């Protein structure tokens, strides 16, 4: 079974600074899908960014970008110019290739991101 | 916008009661999921459905069952609620394509006393 590890239970960053959240995963597949979700206090899970392992180019969505290191099985999330609204739990997730068998994302345990004003 | 609606935001039940958690999505997604979220444990998959009347066990199916009689609706059933099922329950839906994201409901916080 795949596992996703987020080694930082909590991170704190000053507003306007840059922070990187780490994520590693374990898989024997060559193609798969990786996601970062954000969960603010409202509890709504919000997709932040996604990446297909087949594509080596790192995904970017405005202030959010990833550093995808396939050989190292690492998928870290960088948040630039941190804003107070970025404060949330962040979950890294892995999805196996489609076709046969169970679908669904495997999630890490999450990183609680605190933004200091 | 995709909307996934969970019928209750908060629920309090007694031990031994039969509990139904309902989830409805409006985007014609084939796949629907029930996750359980606990502090320090992240989200864990309980059950998954890829079509009407079709279901697959996730990582922690014990003590739960599901029902999908219509494509848009996916129900989680606790046959006999126990205190260790006190948790946050999240429903999600998606298309069955790898990069298609899961869309989540707002969650139901269930307390079993």
């Amino acid at each position: 079974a795949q596992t996703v590890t987020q080694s930082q239970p909590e991170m704190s960053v000053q507003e306007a600074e840059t922070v990187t959240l780490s994520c590693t995963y374990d898989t024997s597949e060559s193609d798969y899908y990786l996601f970062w979700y954000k969960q603010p206090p409202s509890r709504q899970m919000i997709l932040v960014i996604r990446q297909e392992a087949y594509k080596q180019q790192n995904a970017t969505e405005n202030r959010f970008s990833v550093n995808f290191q396939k050989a190292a099985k690492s998928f870290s999330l960088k948040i630039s110019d941190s804003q107070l609204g970025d404060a949330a739990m962040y979950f890294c997730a892995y999805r196996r290739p489609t076709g046969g068998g169970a679908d669904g994302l495997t999630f890490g345990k999450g990183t609680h991101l605190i933004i200091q004003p | 916008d995709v909307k996934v609606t969970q019928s209750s935001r908060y629920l309090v039940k007694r031990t031994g009661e039969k509990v139904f958690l309902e989830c409805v999505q409006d985007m014609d997604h084939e796949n629907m999921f029930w996750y359980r979220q606990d502090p320090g444990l992240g989200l864990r998959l309980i059950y998954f459905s890829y079509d009407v009347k079709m279901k697959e066990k996730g990582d922690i199916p014990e003590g739960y069952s599901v029902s999908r009689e219509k494509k848009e609706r996916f129900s989680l059933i606790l046959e006999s609620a126990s205190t260790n099922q006190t948790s946050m329950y999240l429903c999600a839906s998606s298309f069955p394509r790898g990069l298609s994201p899961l869309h989540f409901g707002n969650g139901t916080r269930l307390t079993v006393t």
Side-chain angles (χ1 to χ4, degrees), chain A residues 1 33-35 37 39 41-47 50-52 55 89 91 95-96 98 101-110, chain B residues 9-10 31 33 35 37 40-43 45 48 56-57 88 90 94-109:
Chain A
Y33 309 91
L34 297 164
F35 301 80
Y37 277 86
Q39 187 182 43
S42 67
R43 301 188 333 213
Q44 180 66 54
M45 292 284 283
I46 301 165
L47 176 69
R50 50 186 162 167
Q51 169 104 27
E52 181 175 7
K55 296 184 179 177
M89 282 293 291
F91 293 97
R95 191 177 203 173
R96 57 172 287 167
T98 48
D103 194 7
L105 271 60
T106 300
F107 285 86
K109 294 181 179 180
Chain B
R9 194 155 173 84
Y10 297 95
N31 292 356
F33 310 86
Y35 282 89
Q37 182 179 9
L41 296 179
L43 281 74
L45 182 63
F48 149 65
E56 295 250 358
K57 292 180 179 179
M88 172 75 73
L90 291 168
S94 81
F95 291 117
R97 292 186 286 276
L99 210 52
S100 296
L102 268 60
H103 297 268
F104 285 85
N106 275 351
T108 296
R109 189 177 294 281

Short mmCIF file of all heavy atoms in Angstrom, two decimals, chain A residues 1 33-35 37 39 41-47 50-52 55 89 91 95-96 98 101-110, chain B residues 9-10 31 33 35 37 40-43 45 48 56-57 88 90 94-109:
data_model
loop_
_atom_site.label_atom_id
_atom_site.label_comp_id
_atom_site.label_asym_id
_atom_site.label_seq_id
_atom_site.Cartn_x
_atom_site.Cartn_y
_atom_site.Cartn_z
N ALA A 1 0.84 -1.20 0.00
CA ALA A 1 0.00 0.00 0.00
C ALA A 1 0.87 1.24 0.00
O ALA A 1 1.97 1.25 0.57
CB ALA A 1 -0.90 0.00 1.23
N TYR A 33 -0.33 10.32 -9.54
CA TYR A 33 -0.78 11.70 -9.45
C TYR A 33 -0.61 12.19 -8.02
O TYR A 33 -0.86 11.46 -7.06
CB TYR A 33 -2.25 11.80 -9.88
CG TYR A 33 -2.49 11.14 -11.21
CD1 TYR A 33 -2.85 9.79 -11.27
CD2 TYR A 33 -2.30 11.83 -12.40
CE1 TYR A 33 -3.02 9.16 -12.49
CE2 TYR A 33 -2.48 11.21 -13.62
CZ TYR A 33 -2.84 9.87 -13.65
OH TYR A 33 -3.00 9.24 -14.87
N LEU A 34 -0.21 13.43 -7.91
CA LEU A 34 0.06 14.01 -6.59
C LEU A 34 -0.73 15.30 -6.43
O LEU A 34 -0.90 16.05 -7.40
CB LEU A 34 1.56 14.28 -6.43
CG LEU A 34 2.44 13.03 -6.48
CD1 LEU A 34 3.89 13.43 -6.70
CD2 LEU A 34 2.29 12.22 -5.21
N PHE A 35 -1.18 15.54 -5.22
CA PHE A 35 -2.03 16.68 -4.94
C PHE A 35 -1.62 17.32 -3.62
O PHE A 35 -1.14 16.65 -2.71
CB PHE A 35 -3.51 16.26 -4.80
CG PHE A 35 -4.09 15.57 -6.01
CD1 PHE A 35 -3.84 14.22 -6.23
CD2 PHE A 35 -4.90 16.25 -6.89
CE1 PHE A 35 -4.38 13.57 -7.33
CE2 PHE A 35 -5.45 15.61 -8.00
CZ PHE A 35 -5.19 14.27 -8.22
N TYR A 37 -3.81 19.66 -0.86
CA TYR A 37 -5.08 20.23 -0.46
C TYR A 37 -4.87 21.11 0.76
O TYR A 37 -4.00 20.85 1.59
CB TYR A 37 -6.10 19.14 -0.10
CG TYR A 37 -6.82 18.54 -1.28
CD1 TYR A 37 -6.26 17.48 -1.98
CD2 TYR A 37 -8.07 19.01 -1.67
CE1 TYR A 37 -6.93 16.92 -3.07
CE2 TYR A 37 -8.74 18.46 -2.75
CZ TYR A 37 -8.16 17.41 -3.44
OH TYR A 37 -8.82 16.85 -4.51
N GLN A 39 -6.99 22.86 4.07
CA GLN A 39 -8.20 22.80 4.86
C GLN A 39 -8.18 23.91 5.90
O GLN A 39 -7.57 23.78 6.96
CB GLN A 39 -8.36 21.44 5.54
CG GLN A 39 -9.72 21.27 6.23
CD GLN A 39 -9.85 19.94 6.94
OE1 GLN A 39 -8.92 19.48 7.60
NE2 GLN A 39 -11.01 19.29 6.81
N PRO A 41 -10.03 26.60 8.75
CA PRO A 41 -10.93 26.28 9.87
C PRO A 41 -12.37 26.00 9.45
O PRO A 41 -13.10 25.34 10.17
CB PRO A 41 -10.84 27.53 10.74
CG PRO A 41 -9.47 28.07 10.45
CD PRO A 41 -9.23 27.79 9.00
N SER A 42 -12.78 26.45 8.29
CA SER A 42 -14.13 26.15 7.80
C SER A 42 -14.33 24.67 7.51
O SER A 42 -15.45 24.21 7.31
CB SER A 42 -14.42 26.94 6.52
OG SER A 42 -13.59 26.48 5.46
N ARG A 43 -13.25 23.91 7.45
CA ARG A 43 -13.22 22.45 7.21
C ARG A 43 -13.33 22.09 5.73
O ARG A 43 -13.22 20.92 5.38
CB ARG A 43 -14.31 21.71 7.98
CG ARG A 43 -14.24 21.90 9.45
CD ARG A 43 -15.18 21.05 10.26
NE ARG A 43 -16.39 20.60 9.65
CZ ARG A 43 -17.54 20.43 10.33
NH1 ARG A 43 -17.56 20.74 11.61
NH2 ARG A 43 -18.61 19.97 9.75
N GLN A 44 -13.58 23.06 4.87
CA GLN A 44 -13.70 22.75 3.45
C GLN A 44 -12.34 22.41 2.87
O GLN A 44 -11.40 23.19 2.97
CB GLN A 44 -14.30 23.94 2.71
CG GLN A 44 -14.47 23.73 1.22
CD GLN A 44 -15.49 22.66 0.91
OE1 GLN A 44 -16.62 22.73 1.38
NE2 GLN A 44 -15.10 21.66 0.14
N MET A 45 -12.23 21.25 2.25
CA MET A 45 -10.98 20.85 1.59
C MET A 45 -10.91 21.55 0.23
O MET A 45 -11.81 21.42 -0.60
CB MET A 45 -10.97 19.33 1.39
CG MET A 45 -10.85 18.55 2.68
SD MET A 45 -9.20 18.56 3.36
CE MET A 45 -8.40 17.37 2.30
N ILE A 46 -9.82 22.25 0.01
CA ILE A 46 -9.65 23.04 -1.20
C ILE A 46 -8.41 22.55 -1.94
O ILE A 46 -7.32 22.47 -1.35
CB ILE A 46 -9.49 24.53 -0.85
CG1 ILE A 46 -10.72 25.02 -0.08
CG2 ILE A 46 -9.25 25.37 -2.10
CD1 ILE A 46 -10.50 26.35 0.61
N LEU A 47 -8.56 22.25 -3.21
CA LEU A 47 -7.42 21.84 -4.01
C LEU A 47 -6.47 23.03 -4.21
O LEU A 47 -6.90 24.10 -4.62
CB LEU A 47 -7.88 21.32 -5.37
CG LEU A 47 -6.77 20.95 -6.36
CD1 LEU A 47 -6.04 19.71 -5.88
CD2 LEU A 47 -7.35 20.74 -7.75
N ARG A 50 -1.82 20.33 -8.31
CA ARG A 50 -1.75 18.91 -8.66
C ARG A 50 -0.67 18.69 -9.72
O ARG A 50 -0.35 19.60 -10.49
CB ARG A 50 -3.09 18.40 -9.17
CG ARG A 50 -3.70 19.28 -10.25
CD ARG A 50 -5.09 18.86 -10.63
NE ARG A 50 -5.80 19.92 -11.33
CZ ARG A 50 -6.93 19.75 -11.99
NH1 ARG A 50 -7.50 18.56 -12.03
NH2 ARG A 50 -7.51 20.77 -12.59
N GLN A 51 -0.19 17.47 -9.76
CA GLN A 51 0.93 17.15 -10.65
C GLN A 51 0.83 15.69 -11.07
O GLN A 51 0.54 14.82 -10.24
CB GLN A 51 2.25 17.38 -9.90
CG GLN A 51 3.51 16.87 -10.56
CD GLN A 51 4.34 17.97 -11.20
OE1 GLN A 51 4.30 19.12 -10.77
NE2 GLN A 51 5.11 17.61 -12.20
N GLU A 52 1.09 15.44 -12.34
CA GLU A 52 1.19 14.08 -12.82
C GLU A 52 2.66 13.69 -12.83
O GLU A 52 3.50 14.44 -13.31
CB GLU A 52 0.62 13.95 -14.22
CG GLU A 52 0.68 12.53 -14.76
CD GLU A 52 -0.01 12.38 -16.11
OE1 GLU A 52 -0.41 13.41 -16.69
OE2 GLU A 52 -0.14 11.24 -16.55
N LYS A 55 4.93 13.95 -15.92
CA LYS A 55 5.43 15.26 -16.37
C LYS A 55 6.47 15.78 -15.38
O LYS A 55 6.19 15.94 -14.19
CB LYS A 55 4.28 16.25 -16.48
CG LYS A 55 3.27 15.84 -17.54
CD LYS A 55 2.18 16.88 -17.71
CE LYS A 55 1.22 16.42 -18.81
NZ LYS A 55 0.09 17.35 -18.98
N MET A 89 -4.61 23.76 7.56
CA MET A 89 -3.96 22.45 7.47
C MET A 89 -3.72 22.16 6.00
O MET A 89 -4.59 22.40 5.17
CB MET A 89 -4.86 21.36 8.06
CG MET A 89 -4.88 21.30 9.56
SD MET A 89 -3.33 20.78 10.28
CE MET A 89 -3.27 19.06 9.78
N PHE A 91 -2.61 19.18 3.31
CA PHE A 91 -2.48 17.74 3.13
C PHE A 91 -1.90 17.42 1.77
O PHE A 91 -2.37 17.93 0.74
CB PHE A 91 -3.85 17.06 3.24
CG PHE A 91 -4.45 17.12 4.61
CD1 PHE A 91 -5.38 18.09 4.93
CD2 PHE A 91 -4.09 16.19 5.59
CE1 PHE A 91 -5.95 18.15 6.20
CE2 PHE A 91 -4.65 16.25 6.85
CZ PHE A 91 -5.58 17.22 7.16
N ARG A 95 -2.37 9.60 -5.67
CA ARG A 95 -3.41 8.82 -6.34
C ARG A 95 -2.74 7.85 -7.30
O ARG A 95 -1.92 8.26 -8.13
CB ARG A 95 -4.36 9.72 -7.11
CG ARG A 95 -5.61 9.01 -7.62
CD ARG A 95 -6.53 9.99 -8.30
NE ARG A 95 -7.92 9.53 -8.34
CZ ARG A 95 -8.93 10.28 -8.78
NH1 ARG A 95 -8.71 11.52 -9.19
NH2 ARG A 95 -10.15 9.79 -8.79
N ARG A 96 -3.12 6.62 -7.20
CA ARG A 96 -2.53 5.58 -8.05
C ARG A 96 -3.01 5.76 -9.49
O ARG A 96 -4.00 6.45 -9.73
CB ARG A 96 -2.93 4.20 -7.54
CG ARG A 96 -4.42 3.98 -7.44
CD ARG A 96 -4.73 2.56 -7.11
NE ARG A 96 -4.49 1.70 -8.26
CZ ARG A 96 -4.43 0.40 -8.21
NH1 ARG A 96 -4.56 -0.22 -7.05
NH2 ARG A 96 -4.22 -0.32 -9.29
N THR A 98 -5.02 5.18 -12.85
CA THR A 98 -6.39 4.73 -13.03
C THR A 98 -6.41 3.40 -13.76
O THR A 98 -5.46 3.02 -14.42
CB THR A 98 -7.21 5.74 -13.84
OG1 THR A 98 -6.46 6.12 -14.99
CG2 THR A 98 -7.49 6.97 -13.01
N GLY A 101 -9.20 -1.78 -9.77
CA GLY A 101 -8.89 -1.64 -8.36
C GLY A 101 -9.45 -0.37 -7.75
O GLY A 101 -10.12 0.42 -8.41
N ALA A 102 -9.16 -0.18 -6.53
CA ALA A 102 -9.73 0.93 -5.78
C ALA A 102 -9.13 2.24 -6.21
O ALA A 102 -7.94 2.35 -6.51
CB ALA A 102 -9.50 0.72 -4.29
N ASP A 103 -9.97 3.25 -6.25
CA ASP A 103 -9.52 4.61 -6.54
C ASP A 103 -9.45 5.35 -5.22
O ASP A 103 -9.62 4.78 -4.16
CB ASP A 103 -10.53 5.26 -7.49
CG ASP A 103 -9.99 6.52 -8.13
OD1 ASP A 103 -8.80 6.84 -7.93
OD2 ASP A 103 -10.76 7.21 -8.80
N GLY A 104 -9.24 6.61 -5.26
CA GLY A 104 -9.17 7.41 -4.05
C GLY A 104 -7.77 7.90 -3.79
O GLY A 104 -6.80 7.36 -4.33
N LEU A 105 -7.68 8.94 -3.03
CA LEU A 105 -6.40 9.52 -2.66
C LEU A 105 -5.93 8.95 -1.33
O LEU A 105 -6.72 8.72 -0.42
CB LEU A 105 -6.53 11.04 -2.53
CG LEU A 105 -6.31 11.88 -3.78
CD1 LEU A 105 -7.29 11.54 -4.87
CD2 LEU A 105 -6.37 13.36 -3.45
N THR A 106 -4.63 8.75 -1.24
CA THR A 106 -3.98 8.42 0.03
C THR A 106 -3.38 9.71 0.57
O THR A 106 -2.56 10.34 -0.11
CB THR A 106 -2.90 7.35 -0.15
OG1 THR A 106 -3.49 6.16 -0.68
CG2 THR A 106 -2.22 7.04 1.18
N PHE A 107 -3.78 10.09 1.77
CA PHE A 107 -3.36 11.36 2.33
C PHE A 107 -2.25 11.20 3.37
O PHE A 107 -2.17 10.19 4.07
CB PHE A 107 -4.55 12.04 3.02
CG PHE A 107 -5.55 12.63 2.07
CD1 PHE A 107 -6.56 11.85 1.54
CD2 PHE A 107 -5.47 13.96 1.71
CE1 PHE A 107 -7.50 12.39 0.66
CE2 PHE A 107 -6.40 14.52 0.82
CZ PHE A 107 -7.41 13.73 0.31
N GLY A 108 -1.44 12.25 3.47
CA GLY A 108 -0.53 12.36 4.61
C GLY A 108 -1.30 12.84 5.83
O GLY A 108 -2.50 13.10 5.76
N LYS A 109 -0.58 12.96 6.96
CA LYS A 109 -1.25 13.34 8.20
C LYS A 109 -1.45 14.83 8.34
O LYS A 109 -2.14 15.28 9.25
CB LYS A 109 -0.48 12.78 9.39
CG LYS A 109 -0.49 11.26 9.44
CD LYS A 109 0.26 10.72 10.63
CE LYS A 109 0.18 9.18 10.61
NZ LYS A 109 0.88 8.57 11.76
N GLY A 110 -0.87 15.60 7.44
CA GLY A 110 -1.12 17.02 7.42
C GLY A 110 -0.05 17.85 8.12
O GLY A 110 0.65 17.37 9.01
N ARG B 9 -24.04 18.91 9.47
CA ARG B 9 -22.73 19.42 9.81
C ARG B 9 -22.27 18.87 11.16
O ARG B 9 -21.10 18.60 11.37
CB ARG B 9 -22.75 20.95 9.84
CG ARG B 9 -21.38 21.59 9.86
CD ARG B 9 -21.45 22.99 9.29
NE ARG B 9 -20.20 23.69 9.45
CZ ARG B 9 -19.17 23.58 8.61
NH1 ARG B 9 -19.23 22.77 7.58
NH2 ARG B 9 -18.05 24.27 8.81
N TYR B 10 -23.22 18.73 12.07
CA TYR B 10 -22.95 18.16 13.38
C TYR B 10 -24.03 17.12 13.68
O TYR B 10 -25.20 17.32 13.35
CB TYR B 10 -22.96 19.23 14.49
CG TYR B 10 -21.91 20.29 14.34
CD1 TYR B 10 -22.20 21.49 13.70
CD2 TYR B 10 -20.61 20.09 14.82
CE1 TYR B 10 -21.22 22.47 13.56
CE2 TYR B 10 -19.65 21.06 14.68
CZ TYR B 10 -19.96 22.24 14.04
OH TYR B 10 -18.99 23.20 13.89
N ASN B 31 -17.28 8.55 -9.46
CA ASN B 31 -16.67 8.10 -8.20
C ASN B 31 -17.13 8.91 -7.01
O ASN B 31 -17.21 10.13 -7.07
CB ASN B 31 -15.14 8.21 -8.29
CG ASN B 31 -14.53 7.23 -9.27
OD1 ASN B 31 -15.23 6.41 -9.84
ND2 ASN B 31 -13.24 7.32 -9.46
N PHE B 33 -16.66 8.92 -2.50
CA PHE B 33 -15.80 8.42 -1.44
C PHE B 33 -16.31 8.87 -0.08
O PHE B 33 -16.89 9.95 0.05
CB PHE B 33 -14.38 9.00 -1.59
CG PHE B 33 -13.79 8.86 -2.96
CD1 PHE B 33 -14.04 9.81 -3.94
CD2 PHE B 33 -12.96 7.80 -3.27
CE1 PHE B 33 -13.50 9.70 -5.21
CE2 PHE B 33 -12.40 7.68 -4.53
CZ PHE B 33 -12.68 8.63 -5.50
N TYR B 35 -14.42 9.46 3.62
CA TYR B 35 -13.20 9.49 4.40
C TYR B 35 -13.54 9.81 5.85
O TYR B 35 -14.53 10.48 6.15
CB TYR B 35 -12.26 10.60 3.90
CG TYR B 35 -11.49 10.26 2.65
CD1 TYR B 35 -12.03 10.53 1.39
CD2 TYR B 35 -10.23 9.69 2.71
CE1 TYR B 35 -11.32 10.23 0.23
CE2 TYR B 35 -9.50 9.39 1.56
CZ TYR B 35 -10.06 9.67 0.32
OH TYR B 35 -9.35 9.38 -0.81
N GLN B 37 -11.65 11.67 9.17
CA GLN B 37 -10.52 12.53 9.52
C GLN B 37 -10.40 12.63 11.02
O GLN B 37 -11.33 13.03 11.72
CB GLN B 37 -10.70 13.94 8.93
CG GLN B 37 -9.53 14.86 9.22
CD GLN B 37 -9.69 16.24 8.62
OE1 GLN B 37 -10.74 16.61 8.11
NE2 GLN B 37 -8.63 17.02 8.65
N GLY B 40 -4.05 14.19 13.78
CA GLY B 40 -2.80 13.42 13.80
C GLY B 40 -2.81 12.19 12.91
O GLY B 40 -1.77 11.54 12.75
N LEU B 41 -3.95 11.89 12.32
CA LEU B 41 -4.04 10.71 11.45
C LEU B 41 -4.37 11.06 10.01
O LEU B 41 -4.36 10.18 9.14
CB LEU B 41 -5.10 9.73 11.98
CG LEU B 41 -4.82 9.11 13.34
CD1 LEU B 41 -5.96 8.19 13.74
CD2 LEU B 41 -3.50 8.35 13.35
N GLY B 42 -4.68 12.30 9.74
CA GLY B 42 -5.03 12.70 8.39
C GLY B 42 -6.38 12.15 7.98
O GLY B 42 -7.26 11.89 8.82
N LEU B 43 -6.55 11.95 6.67
CA LEU B 43 -7.79 11.40 6.15
C LEU B 43 -7.56 9.95 5.77
O LEU B 43 -6.57 9.62 5.12
CB LEU B 43 -8.22 12.17 4.89
CG LEU B 43 -8.91 13.51 5.07
CD1 LEU B 43 -7.94 14.59 5.49
CD2 LEU B 43 -9.63 13.90 3.79
N LEU B 45 -9.48 6.50 4.04
CA LEU B 45 -10.58 6.09 3.18
C LEU B 45 -11.36 4.95 3.80
O LEU B 45 -10.80 3.90 4.14
CB LEU B 45 -10.04 5.67 1.81
CG LEU B 45 -11.06 5.27 0.76
CD1 LEU B 45 -11.98 6.44 0.40
CD2 LEU B 45 -10.36 4.74 -0.49
N PHE B 48 -15.35 3.39 -1.08
CA PHE B 48 -15.32 4.05 -2.37
C PHE B 48 -16.37 3.40 -3.28
O PHE B 48 -16.58 2.19 -3.19
CB PHE B 48 -13.90 3.90 -2.92
CG PHE B 48 -13.76 3.83 -4.40
CD1 PHE B 48 -14.09 4.91 -5.19
CD2 PHE B 48 -13.28 2.68 -5.00
CE1 PHE B 48 -13.96 4.85 -6.57
CE2 PHE B 48 -13.13 2.61 -6.38
CZ PHE B 48 -13.47 3.69 -7.16
N GLU B 56 -16.31 -0.45 -3.06
CA GLU B 56 -15.05 -1.13 -2.72
C GLU B 56 -14.64 -0.68 -1.33
O GLU B 56 -14.81 0.49 -0.98
CB GLU B 56 -13.94 -0.72 -3.71
CG GLU B 56 -14.17 -1.16 -5.12
CD GLU B 56 -13.20 -2.24 -5.54
OE1 GLU B 56 -12.34 -2.62 -4.72
OE2 GLU B 56 -13.30 -2.71 -6.68
N LYS B 57 -14.08 -1.59 -0.57
CA LYS B 57 -13.60 -1.23 0.75
C LYS B 57 -12.34 -0.38 0.63
O LYS B 57 -11.50 -0.59 -0.25
CB LYS B 57 -13.28 -2.49 1.56
CG LYS B 57 -14.51 -3.30 1.92
CD LYS B 57 -14.12 -4.54 2.72
CE LYS B 57 -15.36 -5.34 3.09
NZ LYS B 57 -15.02 -6.56 3.85
N MET B 88 -14.66 13.17 12.38
CA MET B 88 -15.13 14.00 11.27
C MET B 88 -15.22 13.10 10.04
O MET B 88 -14.27 12.37 9.72
CB MET B 88 -14.13 15.13 10.99
CG MET B 88 -14.44 15.91 9.73
SD MET B 88 -15.81 17.00 9.96
CE MET B 88 -14.98 18.20 10.97
N LEU B 90 -15.88 12.97 5.94
CA LEU B 90 -15.84 13.78 4.73
C LEU B 90 -16.24 12.94 3.53
O LEU B 90 -15.71 11.85 3.31
CB LEU B 90 -14.43 14.34 4.49
CG LEU B 90 -13.94 15.39 5.47
CD1 LEU B 90 -12.46 15.64 5.31
CD2 LEU B 90 -14.71 16.69 5.29
N SER B 94 -15.52 12.51 -7.66
CA SER B 94 -14.60 12.88 -8.74
C SER B 94 -14.93 12.08 -9.99
O SER B 94 -15.65 11.07 -9.95
CB SER B 94 -13.15 12.61 -8.34
OG SER B 94 -12.82 11.24 -8.50
N PHE B 95 -14.38 12.52 -11.12
CA PHE B 95 -14.36 11.70 -12.31
C PHE B 95 -13.26 10.66 -12.14
O PHE B 95 -12.30 10.87 -11.41
CB PHE B 95 -14.09 12.56 -13.55
CG PHE B 95 -15.22 13.49 -13.90
CD1 PHE B 95 -15.04 14.86 -13.87
CD2 PHE B 95 -16.46 12.98 -14.26
CE1 PHE B 95 -16.08 15.72 -14.18
CE2 PHE B 95 -17.50 13.83 -14.58
CZ PHE B 95 -17.32 15.21 -14.53
N PRO B 96 -13.39 9.52 -12.85
CA PRO B 96 -12.39 8.46 -12.69
C PRO B 96 -11.15 8.67 -13.56
O PRO B 96 -10.73 7.77 -14.27
CB PRO B 96 -13.16 7.21 -13.12
CG PRO B 96 -14.11 7.71 -14.16
CD PRO B 96 -14.52 9.09 -13.69
N ARG B 97 -10.59 9.85 -13.51
CA ARG B 97 -9.37 10.12 -14.26
C ARG B 97 -8.33 10.64 -13.30
O ARG B 97 -8.62 11.48 -12.46
CB ARG B 97 -9.63 11.13 -15.38
CG ARG B 97 -10.52 10.57 -16.47
CD ARG B 97 -10.63 11.54 -17.63
NE ARG B 97 -11.48 12.68 -17.32
CZ ARG B 97 -12.80 12.68 -17.43
NH1 ARG B 97 -13.42 11.59 -17.82
NH2 ARG B 97 -13.51 13.75 -17.14
N GLY B 98 -7.10 10.16 -13.47
CA GLY B 98 -6.09 10.36 -12.45
C GLY B 98 -5.90 11.76 -11.95
O GLY B 98 -5.78 11.99 -10.75
N LEU B 99 -5.88 12.75 -12.88
CA LEU B 99 -5.59 14.10 -12.43
C LEU B 99 -6.87 14.85 -12.01
O LEU B 99 -6.81 15.99 -11.55
CB LEU B 99 -4.87 14.87 -13.54
CG LEU B 99 -3.88 15.96 -13.13
CD1 LEU B 99 -2.87 15.43 -12.11
CD2 LEU B 99 -3.16 16.50 -14.35
N SER B 100 -8.01 14.19 -12.16
CA SER B 100 -9.26 14.83 -11.74
C SER B 100 -9.25 14.94 -10.22
O SER B 100 -9.09 13.94 -9.52
CB SER B 100 -10.47 14.01 -12.18
OG SER B 100 -10.55 13.96 -13.58
N PRO B 101 -9.44 16.12 -9.69
CA PRO B 101 -9.38 16.26 -8.24
C PRO B 101 -10.62 15.69 -7.57
O PRO B 101 -11.67 15.55 -8.20
CB PRO B 101 -9.30 17.77 -8.05
CG PRO B 101 -10.03 18.32 -9.23
CD PRO B 101 -9.73 17.40 -10.36
N LEU B 102 -10.49 15.37 -6.31
CA LEU B 102 -11.64 15.05 -5.49
C LEU B 102 -12.26 16.36 -5.02
O LEU B 102 -11.55 17.28 -4.60
CB LEU B 102 -11.23 14.20 -4.29
CG LEU B 102 -11.31 12.69 -4.45
CD1 LEU B 102 -10.42 12.20 -5.55
CD2 LEU B 102 -11.02 12.01 -3.13
N HIS B 103 -13.57 16.43 -5.07
CA HIS B 103 -14.31 17.57 -4.56
C HIS B 103 -14.99 17.12 -3.27
O HIS B 103 -15.69 16.11 -3.26
CB HIS B 103 -15.35 18.04 -5.57
CG HIS B 103 -14.72 18.53 -6.84
ND1 HIS B 103 -14.40 19.86 -7.05
CD2 HIS B 103 -14.35 17.88 -7.96
CE1 HIS B 103 -13.86 19.99 -8.25
NE2 HIS B 103 -13.81 18.80 -8.82
N PHE B 104 -14.77 17.89 -2.23
CA PHE B 104 -15.21 17.48 -0.89
C PHE B 104 -16.43 18.25 -0.42
O PHE B 104 -16.62 19.43 -0.76
CB PHE B 104 -14.09 17.70 0.12
CG PHE B 104 -12.98 16.70 0.03
CD1 PHE B 104 -11.95 16.85 -0.87
CD2 PHE B 104 -12.98 15.58 0.86
CE1 PHE B 104 -10.92 15.93 -0.96
CE2 PHE B 104 -11.96 14.65 0.79
CZ PHE B 104 -10.93 14.82 -0.12
N GLY B 105 -17.23 17.59 0.41
CA GLY B 105 -18.26 18.27 1.16
C GLY B 105 -17.65 18.96 2.37
O GLY B 105 -16.44 18.88 2.61
N ASN B 106 -18.49 19.62 3.16
CA ASN B 106 -18.02 20.37 4.31
C ASN B 106 -17.77 19.54 5.55
O ASN B 106 -17.31 20.05 6.56
CB ASN B 106 -19.01 21.48 4.66
CG ASN B 106 -18.76 22.72 3.84
OD1 ASN B 106 -17.77 22.82 3.14
ND2 ASN B 106 -19.67 23.67 3.92
N GLY B 107 -18.12 18.26 5.47
CA GLY B 107 -17.84 17.39 6.60
C GLY B 107 -18.99 17.30 7.59
O GLY B 107 -19.78 18.24 7.74
N THR B 108 -19.09 16.16 8.22
CA THR B 108 -20.03 15.94 9.32
C THR B 108 -19.22 15.56 10.54
O THR B 108 -18.48 14.57 10.52
CB THR B 108 -21.03 14.81 9.00
OG1 THR B 108 -21.84 15.18 7.89
CG2 THR B 108 -21.91 14.51 10.21
N ARG B 109 -19.37 16.34 11.60
CA ARG B 109 -18.68 15.99 12.85
C ARG B 109 -19.64 15.15 13.67
O ARG B 109 -20.65 15.67 14.16
CB ARG B 109 -18.25 17.22 13.61
CG ARG B 109 -17.34 16.89 14.79
CD ARG B 109 -16.84 18.13 15.52
NE ARG B 109 -15.97 18.96 14.71
CZ ARG B 109 -14.68 18.72 14.49
NH1 ARG B 109 -14.12 17.63 15.01
NH2 ARG B 109 -13.96 19.53 13.76
#
